[in-house]
């Protein structure tokens, strides 16, 4: 029994031995531990301070590089402003002769615009992006009182920053933006254009499809790219996919990269596709009036969606006098080889004197010229009021003369009543032929609800 020892006795002995340790030894051990902790703390602090110093130095270097870049840009703009071609040329990358020629031509273009007072070179830098030895800078200039921007690219060597040809690899990473049935795919440079396009296109499609039945029209996908020469084109019309050329390949509106020309281009393609979805079986044939009326409806729809005035005078006057619902009714009434009587048959209350016929008459005169050149006698004669004997003889005589290359520009139209009470349209037209120009009045009779040439 005497050999059995309990755990609490053993632990008690350990505690007793520990407590009996010399007090000075314990203090010495604690001081050593504290010194070690202080040394480790000082080492970590030194590392942190070193990292901060290195980081700050890198930031300072980047800022210095960016400042040198901005100073170079301002020097280049100043050289253009004062006409210092030598300084301007020194800033250009001299290894690329084609680039030097292009920049010399641009320098001359700037000079011409300064002389005419059309341009103000502000030197304002709207955006800077630096990646290693390459950079892109967005520079503003005011033309005709409007803000524009150009994207300039630079490369840094032992001489400093030099202006180079567009570096397409520096256009930025791929991104996409979605808004209400519209998906825009683009690269970082075109961020602002993508946002404006997504918002505008979504509103245009909604407005167009609220008026016309768009059927199973898919969502729109728009690609902003840098590898096309076309400002706007279909990538796949059936799939409702567009391609837009980045305006920063040339010059873009600083406040509105989706400018008027791009809006009209995009709006026109969308209007065409919406009309096609609304009337898929309509294949209007040239040179019948239905061919013009369908294209005029597309032009008016573009105007209606984008709120940018166009040249759709006839359909605009129809909708202004009788309501926008008459546009889809007209499209439903058209046949492939129909004539202009379709527009008067949309509603029994429509009267010819309330409509603006300028664009229709301009198209008729252009078609007359084209049919004469093609030798399409029957189709050409169908444009004349051959029910009138004097007009029929005049038409045959004119066709025999075969005067080609006549150009017509309709100035205005007016309506009057003939002695028998029938409407007659008087078109004042600027006529050009063989280097000669004169103003003529060309008459059109209303025969069975169709305008026919009568003079």
């Amino acid at each position: 029994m005497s050999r059995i020892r309990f755990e609490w006795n053993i632990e008690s002995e350990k505690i007793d031995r520990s407590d009996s340790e010399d007090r000075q030894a314990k203090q010495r051990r604690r001081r050593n531990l504290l010194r070690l902790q202080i040394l480790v703390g000082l080492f970590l602090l030194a590392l942190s301070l070193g990292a901060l110093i290195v980081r700050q130095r890198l930031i300072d270097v980047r800022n210095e590089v960016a400042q040198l870049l901005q100073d170079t840009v301002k020097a280049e703009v100043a050289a253009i402003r004062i006409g210092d071609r030598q300084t301007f040329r020194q800033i250009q990358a001299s290894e690329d002769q084609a680039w030097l020629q292009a920049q010399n031509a641009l320098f001359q273009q700037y000079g011409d615009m300064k002389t005419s007072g059309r341009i103000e070179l502000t030197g304002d830098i709207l955006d800077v992006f630096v990646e290693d030895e390459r950079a892109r800078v967005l520079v503003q200039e005011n033309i005709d009182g409007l803000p524009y921007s150009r994207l300039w690219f630079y490369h840094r060597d032992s001489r400093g920053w030099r202006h180079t040809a567009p570096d397409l690899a520096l256009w930025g990473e791929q991104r996409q933006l979605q808004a209400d049935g519209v998906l825009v795919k683009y690269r970082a440079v075109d961020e602002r254009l993508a946002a404006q396009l997504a918002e505008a296109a979504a509103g245009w499609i909604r407005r167009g499809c609220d008026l016309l039945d768009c059927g199973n029209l898919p969502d729109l996908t728009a690609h902003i790219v840098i590898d096309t020469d076309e400002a706007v084109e279909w990538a796949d019309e059936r799939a409702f996919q567009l391609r837009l050329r980045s305006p920063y390949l040339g010059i873009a509106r600083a406040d509105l990269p989706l400018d008027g020309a791009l809006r009209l281009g995009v709006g026109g393609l969308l209007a065409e596709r919406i009309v096609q979805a609304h009337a898929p079986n309509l294949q209007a044939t040239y040179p019948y009036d239905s061919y013009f009326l369908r294209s005029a409806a597309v032009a008016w729809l573009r105007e209606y969606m984008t709120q940018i005035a166009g040249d759709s005078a006839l359909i605009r006057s129809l909708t202004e006098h009788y309501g926008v619902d008459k546009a889809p009714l007209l499209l439903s009434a058209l046949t492939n080889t129909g004539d202009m009587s379709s527009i008067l048959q949309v509603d029994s209350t429509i009267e010819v004197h309330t409509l603006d016929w300028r664009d229709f008459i301009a198209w008729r005169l252009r078609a007359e010229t084209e049919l004469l050149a093609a030798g399409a006698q029957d189709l050409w004669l169908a444009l004349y009021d051959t029910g009138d004997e004097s007009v029929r003889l005049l038409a045959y005589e004119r066709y025999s003369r075969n005067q080609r290359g006549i150009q017509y520009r309709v100035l205005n139209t007016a309506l009057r009543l003939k002695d028998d009470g029938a409407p007659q349209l008087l078109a004042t037209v600027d006529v050009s032929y063989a280097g000669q120009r004169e103003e003529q009045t060309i008459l059109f009779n209303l025969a069975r609800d169709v305008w026919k040439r009568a003079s």
Side-chain angles (χ1 to χ4, degrees), residues 192-359:
R192 191 167 191 179
L193 171 61
Q196 293 180 359
L197 175 63
E199 180 182 5
W204 297 342
I205 295 169
R206 182 170 57 252
R207 187 171 171 83
C209 291
D210 283 345
L211 179 65
L212 301 179
D213 178 11
C214 291
N216 296 321
L217 196 65
D219 289 347
L220 175 69
T221 300
H223 304 264
I224 303 175
V225 298
I226 54 179
D227 59 351
T228 179
D229 293 330
E230 297 294 330
V232 186
E233 62 183 352
W234 285 115
D236 187 334
E237 183 175 0
R238 186 175 184 84
F240 213 27
Q241 295 186 8
L242 282 174
R243 281 163 51 96
L244 284 79
R245 185 176 187 267
S246 171
Y248 296 105
L249 286 164
I251 187 169
R253 278 282 296 271
D255 57 338
L256 192 68
L258 187 67
D259 60 14
L262 270 179
R263 286 173 177 265
L264 289 175
V266 173
L269 292 182
L270 295 182
E272 171 63 40
R273 186 66 178 86
I274 288 172
V275 167
Q276 184 181 16
H278 177 78
N281 297 321
L282 178 60
Q283 303 294 328
T285 305
Y286 177 86
Y288 296 97
D289 291 345
S290 58
Y291 183 88
F292 165 80
L293 292 173
R294 184 192 182 281
S295 63
V298 170
W300 173 83
L301 183 61
R302 179 187 69 177
E303 180 178 322
Y304 175 76
M305 293 191 307
T306 64
Q307 301 295 289
I308 299 176
D311 54 2
S312 56
L314 178 57
I315 308 300
R316 187 192 311 121
S317 64
L318 173 69
T319 57
E320 286 177 348
H321 284 92
Y322 302 100
V324 295
D325 62 307
K326 297 303 181 288
L329 290 176
L330 172 62
L331 285 169
S332 299
L334 292 179
T335 62
N336 294 342
T337 58
D339 55 40
M340 59 154 276
S341 63
S342 300
I343 199 169
L344 300 177
Q345 295 166 3
V346 165
D347 190 310
S348 59
T349 63
I350 295 176
E351 299 180 1
V352 292
H353 70 273
T354 61
L355 303 180
D356 187 340
W357 297 98
R358 286 174 298 166
D359 55 336

Side-chain angles (χ1 to χ4, degrees), residues 17 42 58 74 123 140 147 163 169 201 217 297 303 308 318 332 340 358 386 400 408 410 413 433:
R17 286 196 296 270
L42 290 173
L58 290 174
K74 291 182 180 298
Q140 180 173 325
H163 195 164
L217 196 65
E303 180 178 322
I308 299 176
L318 173 69
S332 299
M340 59 154 276
R358 286 174 298 166
T386 54
S400 298
Y408 299 96
V410 177
T413 58
Y433 176 71

